[in-house]
Amino acid sequence: MNSGVSVSPRLAMAIATVTATLATSGCMTAKIEELREAPTQITQKDAIVLLAKPHLEGTGTEDKFLDCLERELVGESVSATVAERQRSGKAFEPRSNLSKGPFQIYADHYFVDALYPWLEPSTAPANAQGFSAFLARPGVSERVAEMGVRYIVWVDGVTQKTDGGGSIACAAGPGGAGCLGLGWWEKSSDYEATVWDLRQGISAGSLTTDVKGTSVMIGAIAPIPLIAPVQSTACDRMAGQLKSFLLGTDDEETAAVSHN
């Protein structure tokens, strides 16, 4: 049976070469950098809260990236679970299970609501001076202590497409259907996590992760996707480094790795 789209031997060889090259050489690079300003040593009874850095304009950090970080750190997406239980009227604890990780995570929206309006985009602290002023507001330190939150981790950044090209054409005919061609696109996941110590009222440091990857869609009768998991890799790398940072077990060196 004919497919409806014929592939010349030369094009078939080119597609096979591209596929083999991508499969053997890898198509992602990942880099993490760390800047420590103060020692940290969180305990199992302490909690952190992961918050998307407020933006008055533009795109903020994706909820799914924050959910991924929570899942990698303590085994569950705490904020998403709490939000769902709130909407359904079910009972909930605004923090992760004590037995699931080396520390706890406090639900982000619950934390922001409890301190309203001081963490809204127009009033949230943007620097060390603003952070000190935030903690000095009446009732803030007391409320934070009640919730058991030791660190705020501000997360900033997005995953976005940076380049792309090629094309794939698909057609159908009496003998069947098929696709022909090759398309590719590059994505970059660039995130920064700034750690604020609520007990000391200082910035403990920051972590950055930058992951770049190229994905390919090959049209060889049926489309063949070769997807680079850029955002999930950035999440995995940042979560591992953040856990070490908070536990005080990191080696305080810049880490750079290539993903093959």
Side-chain angles (χ1 to χ4, degrees):
M1 180 182 293
N2 295 325
S3 65
V5 175
S6 61
V7 180
S8 70
R10 181 177 295 179
L11 180 57
M13 183 176 294
I15 290 173
T17 300
V18 170
T19 304
T21 300
L22 288 168
T24 58
S25 66
C27 53
M28 283 200 302
T29 60
K31 182 179 180 181
I32 283 186
E33 296 181 347
E34 175 183 315
L35 173 64
R36 178 176 287 281
E37 300 177 59
T40 53
Q41 194 168 14
I42 196 169
T43 69
Q44 191 178 35
K45 293 182 179 180
D46 293 325
I48 68 169
V49 60
L50 296 166
L51 299 178
K53 188 174 181 179
H55 285 267
L56 292 173
E57 297 180 0
T59 303
T61 300
E62 307 94 338
D63 286 342
K64 69 177 182 179
F65 184 77
L66 296 175
D67 290 342
C68 177
L69 283 179
E70 291 186 348
R71 190 165 53 250
E72 290 292 326
L73 289 169
V74 298
E76 62 175 317
S77 299
V78 182
S79 298
T81 300
V82 169
E84 177 60 31
R85 295 187 71 87
Q86 275 186 301
R87 285 192 295 268
S88 61
K90 297 179 181 178
F92 64 90
E93 286 291 332
R95 63 175 64 231
S96 57
N97 190 312
L98 182 63
S99 64
K100 286 192 174 183
F103 49 81
Q104 300 175 61
I105 288 182
Y106 207 89
D108 53 8
H109 290 93
Y110 198 89
F111 184 80
V112 172
D113 290 346
L115 294 170
Y116 181 85
W118 307 124
L119 293 176
E120 298 300 309
S122 60
T123 55
N127 50 41
Q129 292 78 13
F131 184 64
S132 296
F134 161 70
L135 291 175
R137 293 186 182 278
V140 168
S141 294
E142 292 80 3
R143 182 63 61 86
V144 167
E146 289 174 4
M147 292 186 284
V149 176
R150 174 68 190 274
Y151 297 101
I152 290 178
V153 181
W154 291 112
V155 182
D156 192 19
V158 294
T159 294
Q160 57 187 345
K161 179 180 176 180
T162 56
D163 200 0
S167 63
I168 295 179
C170 297
C179 297
L180 183 64
L182 185 147
W184 63 274
W185 61 96
E186 291 182 351
K187 281 189 172 183
S188 175
S189 288
D190 191 2
Y191 296 93
E192 179 180 19
T194 304
V195 181
W196 294 96
D197 188 334
L198 290 168
R199 191 172 299 169
Q200 303 296 326
I202 59 174
S203 171
S206 62
L207 310 166
T208 61
T209 181
D210 183 14
V211 179
K212 292 180 172 61
T214 302
S215 298
V216 177
M217 182 70 74
I218 300 172
I221 309 304
I224 303 172
L226 300 173
I227 307 299
V230 176
Q231 189 178 64
S232 61
T233 300
C235 168
D236 178 70
R237 298 304 171 99
M238 175 164 279
Q241 192 72 1
L242 180 59
K243 182 181 291 185
S244 295
F245 183 94
L246 292 169
L247 293 172
T249 58
D250 58 286
D251 58 13
E252 302 183 23
E253 294 180 356
T254 297
V257 296
S258 292
H259 216 36
N260 295 317

PDB file of all heavy atoms in Angstrom, residues 49 51 108-120 123 134-135 137-145 147 149 152 198:
ATOM      1  N   VAL A  49       8.125  28.279  52.151  1.00  0.00           N
ATOM      2  CA  VAL A  49       7.032  28.547  51.220  1.00  0.00           C
ATOM      3  C   VAL A  49       7.643  29.018  49.916  1.00  0.00           C
ATOM      4  O   VAL A  49       8.525  29.873  49.901  1.00  0.00           O
ATOM      5  CB  VAL A  49       6.032  29.585  51.788  1.00  0.00           C
ATOM      6  CG1 VAL A  49       6.708  30.915  52.086  1.00  0.00           C
ATOM      7  CG2 VAL A  49       4.860  29.784  50.820  1.00  0.00           C
ATOM      8  N   LEU A  51       7.190  30.901  46.543  1.00  0.00           N
ATOM      9  CA  LEU A  51       6.314  31.930  45.973  1.00  0.00           C
ATOM     10  C   LEU A  51       6.871  32.414  44.641  1.00  0.00           C
ATOM     11  O   LEU A  51       8.081  32.621  44.507  1.00  0.00           O
ATOM     12  CB  LEU A  51       6.199  33.130  46.923  1.00  0.00           C
ATOM     13  CG  LEU A  51       5.623  32.880  48.313  1.00  0.00           C
ATOM     14  CD1 LEU A  51       5.637  34.183  49.115  1.00  0.00           C
ATOM     15  CD2 LEU A  51       4.205  32.333  48.219  1.00  0.00           C
ATOM     16  N   ASP A 108       1.355  27.913  49.212  1.00  0.00           N
ATOM     17  CA  ASP A 108       1.668  29.287  48.847  1.00  0.00           C
ATOM     18  C   ASP A 108       0.487  30.253  48.969  1.00  0.00           C
ATOM     19  O   ASP A 108       0.610  31.315  49.598  1.00  0.00           O
ATOM     20  CB  ASP A 108       2.278  29.347  47.442  1.00  0.00           C
ATOM     21  CG  ASP A 108       1.429  28.645  46.383  1.00  0.00           C
ATOM     22  OD1 ASP A 108       0.281  28.234  46.671  1.00  0.00           O
ATOM     23  OD2 ASP A 108       1.919  28.502  45.245  1.00  0.00           O
ATOM     24  N   HIS A 109      -0.666  29.899  48.392  1.00  0.00           N
ATOM     25  CA  HIS A 109      -1.804  30.817  48.426  1.00  0.00           C
ATOM     26  C   HIS A 109      -2.314  31.034  49.858  1.00  0.00           C
ATOM     27  O   HIS A 109      -2.734  32.138  50.224  1.00  0.00           O
ATOM     28  CB  HIS A 109      -2.940  30.298  47.537  1.00  0.00           C
ATOM     29  CG  HIS A 109      -2.634  30.377  46.070  1.00  0.00           C
ATOM     30  ND1 HIS A 109      -2.077  29.336  45.379  1.00  0.00           N
ATOM     31  CD2 HIS A 109      -2.772  31.396  45.186  1.00  0.00           C
ATOM     32  CE1 HIS A 109      -1.902  29.685  44.120  1.00  0.00           C
ATOM     33  NE2 HIS A 109      -2.307  30.929  43.977  1.00  0.00           N
ATOM     34  N   TYR A 110      -2.255  29.984  50.666  1.00  0.00           N
ATOM     35  CA  TYR A 110      -2.696  30.099  52.050  1.00  0.00           C
ATOM     36  C   TYR A 110      -1.787  31.048  52.822  1.00  0.00           C
ATOM     37  O   TYR A 110      -2.243  31.857  53.636  1.00  0.00           O
ATOM     38  CB  TYR A 110      -2.678  28.713  52.696  1.00  0.00           C
ATOM     39  CG  TYR A 110      -3.495  28.598  53.959  1.00  0.00           C
ATOM     40  CD1 TYR A 110      -4.842  28.249  53.909  1.00  0.00           C
ATOM     41  CD2 TYR A 110      -2.924  28.841  55.204  1.00  0.00           C
ATOM     42  CE1 TYR A 110      -5.593  28.141  55.064  1.00  0.00           C
ATOM     43  CE2 TYR A 110      -3.672  28.731  56.368  1.00  0.00           C
ATOM     44  CZ  TYR A 110      -5.001  28.389  56.284  1.00  0.00           C
ATOM     45  OH  TYR A 110      -5.742  28.295  57.433  1.00  0.00           O
ATOM     46  N   PHE A 111      -0.498  30.971  52.552  1.00  0.00           N
ATOM     47  CA  PHE A 111       0.471  31.855  53.202  1.00  0.00           C
ATOM     48  C   PHE A 111       0.254  33.308  52.780  1.00  0.00           C
ATOM     49  O   PHE A 111       0.235  34.216  53.618  1.00  0.00           O
ATOM     50  CB  PHE A 111       1.882  31.409  52.824  1.00  0.00           C
ATOM     51  CG  PHE A 111       2.986  32.187  53.501  1.00  0.00           C
ATOM     52  CD1 PHE A 111       3.363  31.901  54.804  1.00  0.00           C
ATOM     53  CD2 PHE A 111       3.654  33.202  52.826  1.00  0.00           C
ATOM     54  CE1 PHE A 111       4.384  32.613  55.433  1.00  0.00           C
ATOM     55  CE2 PHE A 111       4.679  33.919  53.441  1.00  0.00           C
ATOM     56  CZ  PHE A 111       5.039  33.623  54.737  1.00  0.00           C
ATOM     57  N   VAL A 112       0.078  33.532  51.481  1.00  0.00           N
ATOM     58  CA  VAL A 112      -0.147  34.892  50.973  1.00  0.00           C
ATOM     59  C   VAL A 112      -1.439  35.468  51.542  1.00  0.00           C
ATOM     60  O   VAL A 112      -1.483  36.634  51.960  1.00  0.00           O
ATOM     61  CB  VAL A 112      -0.186  34.885  49.430  1.00  0.00           C
ATOM     62  CG1 VAL A 112      -0.620  36.251  48.892  1.00  0.00           C
ATOM     63  CG2 VAL A 112       1.188  34.529  48.865  1.00  0.00           C
ATOM     64  N   ASP A 113      -2.494  34.677  51.581  1.00  0.00           N
ATOM     65  CA  ASP A 113      -3.777  35.145  52.116  1.00  0.00           C
ATOM     66  C   ASP A 113      -3.666  35.492  53.597  1.00  0.00           C
ATOM     67  O   ASP A 113      -4.281  36.462  54.072  1.00  0.00           O
ATOM     68  CB  ASP A 113      -4.862  34.080  51.913  1.00  0.00           C
ATOM     69  CG  ASP A 113      -5.254  33.918  50.452  1.00  0.00           C
ATOM     70  OD1 ASP A 113      -4.897  34.791  49.635  1.00  0.00           O
ATOM     71  OD2 ASP A 113      -5.891  32.901  50.127  1.00  0.00           O
ATOM     72  N   ALA A 114      -2.886  34.693  54.343  1.00  0.00           N
ATOM     73  CA  ALA A 114      -2.744  34.924  55.781  1.00  0.00           C
ATOM     74  C   ALA A 114      -2.023  36.237  56.075  1.00  0.00           C
ATOM     75  O   ALA A 114      -2.209  36.819  57.152  1.00  0.00           O
ATOM     76  CB  ALA A 114      -1.997  33.764  56.427  1.00  0.00           C
ATOM     77  N   LEU A 115      -1.208  36.714  55.116  1.00  0.00           N
ATOM     78  CA  LEU A 115      -0.447  37.949  55.300  1.00  0.00           C
ATOM     79  C   LEU A 115      -0.947  39.075  54.390  1.00  0.00           C
ATOM     80  O   LEU A 115      -0.228  40.042  54.158  1.00  0.00           O
ATOM     81  CB  LEU A 115       1.043  37.684  55.048  1.00  0.00           C
ATOM     82  CG  LEU A 115       1.690  36.746  56.071  1.00  0.00           C
ATOM     83  CD1 LEU A 115       3.087  36.336  55.621  1.00  0.00           C
ATOM     84  CD2 LEU A 115       1.758  37.397  57.443  1.00  0.00           C
ATOM     85  N   TYR A 116      -2.156  38.934  53.899  1.00  0.00           N
ATOM     86  CA  TYR A 116      -2.732  39.967  53.031  1.00  0.00           C
ATOM     87  C   TYR A 116      -2.764  41.325  53.755  1.00  0.00           C
ATOM     88  O   TYR A 116      -3.093  41.385  54.928  1.00  0.00           O
ATOM     89  CB  TYR A 116      -4.153  39.554  52.628  1.00  0.00           C
ATOM     90  CG  TYR A 116      -4.835  40.536  51.704  1.00  0.00           C
ATOM     91  CD1 TYR A 116      -4.619  40.467  50.336  1.00  0.00           C
ATOM     92  CD2 TYR A 116      -5.679  41.520  52.215  1.00  0.00           C
ATOM     93  CE1 TYR A 116      -5.229  41.376  49.491  1.00  0.00           C
ATOM     94  CE2 TYR A 116      -6.290  42.430  51.372  1.00  0.00           C
ATOM     95  CZ  TYR A 116      -6.065  42.354  50.011  1.00  0.00           C
ATOM     96  OH  TYR A 116      -6.667  43.255  49.172  1.00  0.00           O
ATOM     97  N   PRO A 117      -2.398  42.429  53.063  1.00  0.00           N
ATOM     98  CA  PRO A 117      -2.050  42.527  51.633  1.00  0.00           C
ATOM     99  C   PRO A 117      -0.554  42.642  51.388  1.00  0.00           C
ATOM    100  O   PRO A 117      -0.127  43.103  50.337  1.00  0.00           O
ATOM    101  CB  PRO A 117      -2.734  43.831  51.247  1.00  0.00           C
ATOM    102  CG  PRO A 117      -2.519  44.704  52.468  1.00  0.00           C
ATOM    103  CD  PRO A 117      -2.579  43.778  53.663  1.00  0.00           C
ATOM    104  N   TRP A 118       0.298  42.219  52.341  1.00  0.00           N
ATOM    105  CA  TRP A 118       1.719  42.568  52.281  1.00  0.00           C
ATOM    106  C   TRP A 118       2.521  41.765  51.273  1.00  0.00           C
ATOM    107  O   TRP A 118       3.681  42.089  51.024  1.00  0.00           O
ATOM    108  CB  TRP A 118       2.331  42.441  53.672  1.00  0.00           C
ATOM    109  CG  TRP A 118       1.573  43.199  54.704  1.00  0.00           C
ATOM    110  CD1 TRP A 118       1.033  42.710  55.852  1.00  0.00           C
ATOM    111  CD2 TRP A 118       1.226  44.594  54.673  1.00  0.00           C
ATOM    112  NE1 TRP A 118       0.380  43.698  56.542  1.00  0.00           N
ATOM    113  CE2 TRP A 118       0.483  44.874  55.845  1.00  0.00           C
ATOM    114  CE3 TRP A 118       1.470  45.635  53.767  1.00  0.00           C
ATOM    115  CZ2 TRP A 118      -0.016  46.131  56.125  1.00  0.00           C
ATOM    116  CZ3 TRP A 118       0.972  46.896  54.060  1.00  0.00           C
ATOM    117  CH2 TRP A 118       0.242  47.139  55.221  1.00  0.00           C
ATOM    118  N   LEU A 119       1.913  40.725  50.676  1.00  0.00           N
ATOM    119  CA  LEU A 119       2.635  39.957  49.662  1.00  0.00           C
ATOM    120  C   LEU A 119       1.984  40.058  48.289  1.00  0.00           C
ATOM    121  O   LEU A 119       2.282  39.277  47.388  1.00  0.00           O
ATOM    122  CB  LEU A 119       2.745  38.486  50.090  1.00  0.00           C
ATOM    123  CG  LEU A 119       3.616  38.235  51.330  1.00  0.00           C
ATOM    124  CD1 LEU A 119       3.573  36.764  51.729  1.00  0.00           C
ATOM    125  CD2 LEU A 119       5.054  38.672  51.083  1.00  0.00           C
ATOM    126  N   GLU A 120       1.094  41.029  48.142  1.00  0.00           N
ATOM    127  CA  GLU A 120       0.513  41.299  46.830  1.00  0.00           C
ATOM    128  C   GLU A 120       1.569  41.960  45.933  1.00  0.00           C
ATOM    129  O   GLU A 120       2.535  42.556  46.435  1.00  0.00           O
ATOM    130  CB  GLU A 120      -0.710  42.199  46.964  1.00  0.00           C
ATOM    131  CG  GLU A 120      -1.840  41.586  47.777  1.00  0.00           C
ATOM    132  CD  GLU A 120      -2.338  40.288  47.174  1.00  0.00           C
ATOM    133  OE1 GLU A 120      -2.646  40.271  45.962  1.00  0.00           O
ATOM    134  OE2 GLU A 120      -2.394  39.280  47.906  1.00  0.00           O
ATOM    135  N   THR A 123       2.815  45.447  46.859  1.00  0.00           N
ATOM    136  CA  THR A 123       3.349  45.703  48.209  1.00  0.00           C
ATOM    137  C   THR A 123       4.434  44.716  48.641  1.00  0.00           C
ATOM    138  O   THR A 123       5.061  44.927  49.677  1.00  0.00           O
ATOM    139  CB  THR A 123       2.209  45.646  49.250  1.00  0.00           C
ATOM    140  OG1 THR A 123       1.526  44.384  49.147  1.00  0.00           O
ATOM    141  CG2 THR A 123       1.206  46.776  49.032  1.00  0.00           C
ATOM    142  N   PHE A 134       8.844  44.657  55.753  1.00  0.00           N
ATOM    143  CA  PHE A 134       7.758  43.673  55.761  1.00  0.00           C
ATOM    144  C   PHE A 134       7.677  42.968  57.112  1.00  0.00           C
ATOM    145  O   PHE A 134       6.606  42.851  57.716  1.00  0.00           O
ATOM    146  CB  PHE A 134       7.989  42.667  54.634  1.00  0.00           C
ATOM    147  CG  PHE A 134       7.257  41.379  54.770  1.00  0.00           C
ATOM    148  CD1 PHE A 134       5.878  41.318  54.621  1.00  0.00           C
ATOM    149  CD2 PHE A 134       7.942  40.192  55.050  1.00  0.00           C
ATOM    150  CE1 PHE A 134       5.195  40.108  54.737  1.00  0.00           C
ATOM    151  CE2 PHE A 134       7.279  38.994  55.177  1.00  0.00           C
ATOM    152  CZ  PHE A 134       5.895  38.954  55.019  1.00  0.00           C
ATOM    153  N   LEU A 135       8.827  42.523  57.639  1.00  0.00           N
ATOM    154  CA  LEU A 135       8.842  41.814  58.918  1.00  0.00           C
ATOM    155  C   LEU A 135       8.518  42.730  60.093  1.00  0.00           C
ATOM    156  O   LEU A 135       8.066  42.260  61.143  1.00  0.00           O
ATOM    157  CB  LEU A 135      10.208  41.158  59.135  1.00  0.00           C
ATOM    158  CG  LEU A 135      10.550  39.989  58.214  1.00  0.00           C
ATOM    159  CD1 LEU A 135      11.976  39.510  58.462  1.00  0.00           C
ATOM    160  CD2 LEU A 135       9.565  38.847  58.403  1.00  0.00           C
ATOM    161  N   ARG A 137       6.260  45.063  60.109  1.00  0.00           N
ATOM    162  CA  ARG A 137       4.847  45.458  60.144  1.00  0.00           C
ATOM    163  C   ARG A 137       4.139  44.761  61.305  1.00  0.00           C
ATOM    164  O   ARG A 137       4.449  43.607  61.624  1.00  0.00           O
ATOM    165  CB  ARG A 137       4.163  45.124  58.820  1.00  0.00           C
ATOM    166  CG  ARG A 137       4.682  45.940  57.648  1.00  0.00           C
ATOM    167  CD  ARG A 137       3.881  45.680  56.393  1.00  0.00           C
ATOM    168  NE  ARG A 137       4.407  46.438  55.271  1.00  0.00           N
ATOM    169  CZ  ARG A 137       4.138  47.714  55.020  1.00  0.00           C
ATOM    170  NH1 ARG A 137       3.334  48.387  55.849  1.00  0.00           N
ATOM    171  NH2 ARG A 137       4.656  48.333  53.977  1.00  0.00           N
ATOM    172  N   PRO A 138       3.202  45.420  61.941  1.00  0.00           N
ATOM    173  CA  PRO A 138       2.514  44.844  63.105  1.00  0.00           C
ATOM    174  C   PRO A 138       1.883  43.490  62.803  1.00  0.00           C
ATOM    175  O   PRO A 138       1.128  43.347  61.841  1.00  0.00           O
ATOM    176  CB  PRO A 138       1.439  45.899  63.426  1.00  0.00           C
ATOM    177  CG  PRO A 138       1.991  47.174  62.879  1.00  0.00           C
ATOM    178  CD  PRO A 138       2.741  46.792  61.646  1.00  0.00           C
ATOM    179  N   GLY A 139       2.234  42.527  63.598  1.00  0.00           N
ATOM    180  CA  GLY A 139       1.618  41.204  63.497  1.00  0.00           C
ATOM    181  C   GLY A 139       2.260  40.249  62.513  1.00  0.00           C
ATOM    182  O   GLY A 139       1.965  39.046  62.550  1.00  0.00           O
ATOM    183  N   VAL A 140       3.145  40.732  61.617  1.00  0.00           N
ATOM    184  CA  VAL A 140       3.710  39.861  60.586  1.00  0.00           C
ATOM    185  C   VAL A 140       4.608  38.788  61.192  1.00  0.00           C
ATOM    186  O   VAL A 140       4.453  37.595  60.916  1.00  0.00           O
ATOM    187  CB  VAL A 140       4.480  40.682  59.527  1.00  0.00           C
ATOM    188  CG1 VAL A 140       5.301  39.754  58.624  1.00  0.00           C
ATOM    189  CG2 VAL A 140       3.516  41.505  58.692  1.00  0.00           C
ATOM    190  N   SER A 141       5.572  39.185  62.016  1.00  0.00           N
ATOM    191  CA  SER A 141       6.496  38.208  62.607  1.00  0.00           C
ATOM    192  C   SER A 141       5.753  37.186  63.450  1.00  0.00           C
ATOM    193  O   SER A 141       6.077  35.987  63.424  1.00  0.00           O
ATOM    194  CB  SER A 141       7.547  38.922  63.465  1.00  0.00           C
ATOM    195  OG  SER A 141       8.387  39.719  62.664  1.00  0.00           O
ATOM    196  N   GLU A 142       4.752  37.646  64.187  1.00  0.00           N
ATOM    197  CA  GLU A 142       3.977  36.743  65.033  1.00  0.00           C
ATOM    198  C   GLU A 142       3.204  35.727  64.176  1.00  0.00           C
ATOM    199  O   GLU A 142       3.158  34.530  64.496  1.00  0.00           O
ATOM    200  CB  GLU A 142       3.004  37.521  65.902  1.00  0.00           C
ATOM    201  CG  GLU A 142       3.662  38.380  66.984  1.00  0.00           C
ATOM    202  CD  GLU A 142       4.206  39.703  66.439  1.00  0.00           C
ATOM    203  OE1 GLU A 142       4.018  39.982  65.230  1.00  0.00           O
ATOM    204  OE2 GLU A 142       4.827  40.439  67.227  1.00  0.00           O
ATOM    205  N   ARG A 143       2.616  36.213  63.077  1.00  0.00           N
ATOM    206  CA  ARG A 143       1.856  35.312  62.202  1.00  0.00           C
ATOM    207  C   ARG A 143       2.769  34.286  61.539  1.00  0.00           C
ATOM    208  O   ARG A 143       2.424  33.101  61.441  1.00  0.00           O
ATOM    209  CB  ARG A 143       1.134  36.142  61.138  1.00  0.00           C
ATOM    210  CG  ARG A 143       0.264  35.322  60.174  1.00  0.00           C
ATOM    211  CD  ARG A 143      -0.868  34.612  60.871  1.00  0.00           C
ATOM    212  NE  ARG A 143      -1.753  35.535  61.515  1.00  0.00           N
ATOM    213  CZ  ARG A 143      -2.786  36.136  60.897  1.00  0.00           C
ATOM    214  NH1 ARG A 143      -3.002  35.886  59.615  1.00  0.00           N
ATOM    215  NH2 ARG A 143      -3.574  36.946  61.553  1.00  0.00           N
ATOM    216  N   VAL A 144       3.925  34.734  61.105  1.00  0.00           N
ATOM    217  CA  VAL A 144       4.884  33.823  60.475  1.00  0.00           C
ATOM    218  C   VAL A 144       5.338  32.756  61.465  1.00  0.00           C
ATOM    219  O   VAL A 144       5.443  31.566  61.127  1.00  0.00           O
ATOM    220  CB  VAL A 144       6.097  34.609  59.929  1.00  0.00           C
ATOM    221  CG1 VAL A 144       7.226  33.660  59.561  1.00  0.00           C
ATOM    222  CG2 VAL A 144       5.693  35.452  58.722  1.00  0.00           C
ATOM    223  N   ALA A 145       5.614  33.172  62.696  1.00  0.00           N
ATOM    224  CA  ALA A 145       6.046  32.219  63.729  1.00  0.00           C
ATOM    225  C   ALA A 145       4.957  31.183  64.003  1.00  0.00           C
ATOM    226  O   ALA A 145       5.240  29.993  64.189  1.00  0.00           O
ATOM    227  CB  ALA A 145       6.410  32.963  65.008  1.00  0.00           C
ATOM    228  N   MET A 147       2.797  30.050  61.920  1.00  0.00           N
ATOM    229  CA  MET A 147       2.721  29.125  60.784  1.00  0.00           C
ATOM    230  C   MET A 147       3.947  28.231  60.698  1.00  0.00           C
ATOM    231  O   MET A 147       3.948  27.233  59.980  1.00  0.00           O
ATOM    232  CB  MET A 147       2.536  29.910  59.481  1.00  0.00           C
ATOM    233  CG  MET A 147       1.174  30.594  59.386  1.00  0.00           C
ATOM    234  SD  MET A 147       0.881  31.377  57.775  1.00  0.00           S
ATOM    235  CE  MET A 147       1.905  32.856  57.921  1.00  0.00           C
ATOM    236  N   VAL A 149       6.863  28.941  59.384  1.00  0.00           N
ATOM    237  CA  VAL A 149       7.601  29.113  58.136  1.00  0.00           C
ATOM    238  C   VAL A 149       8.939  29.795  58.434  1.00  0.00           C
ATOM    239  O   VAL A 149       8.973  30.901  58.967  1.00  0.00           O
ATOM    240  CB  VAL A 149       6.793  29.945  57.113  1.00  0.00           C
ATOM    241  CG1 VAL A 149       7.619  30.193  55.850  1.00  0.00           C
ATOM    242  CG2 VAL A 149       5.505  29.216  56.754  1.00  0.00           C
ATOM    243  N   ILE A 152      11.214  32.028  53.089  1.00  0.00           N
ATOM    244  CA  ILE A 152      10.486  32.305  51.854  1.00  0.00           C
ATOM    245  C   ILE A 152      11.462  32.096  50.704  1.00  0.00           C
ATOM    246  O   ILE A 152      12.583  32.603  50.730  1.00  0.00           O
ATOM    247  CB  ILE A 152       9.943  33.745  51.799  1.00  0.00           C
ATOM    248  CG1 ILE A 152       8.801  33.941  52.797  1.00  0.00           C
ATOM    249  CG2 ILE A 152       9.449  34.085  50.397  1.00  0.00           C
ATOM    250  CD1 ILE A 152       8.258  35.364  52.812  1.00  0.00           C
ATOM    251  N   LEU A 198      13.293  34.220  57.404  1.00  0.00           N
ATOM    252  CA  LEU A 198      12.303  34.979  58.165  1.00  0.00           C
ATOM    253  C   LEU A 198      12.681  35.130  59.628  1.00  0.00           C
ATOM    254  O   LEU A 198      12.239  36.064  60.297  1.00  0.00           O
ATOM    255  CB  LEU A 198      10.936  34.298  58.054  1.00  0.00           C
ATOM    256  CG  LEU A 198      10.274  34.369  56.676  1.00  0.00           C
ATOM    257  CD1 LEU A 198       9.089  33.422  56.610  1.00  0.00           C
ATOM    258  CD2 LEU A 198       9.834  35.780  56.359  1.00  0.00           C
TER     259      LEU A 198
END
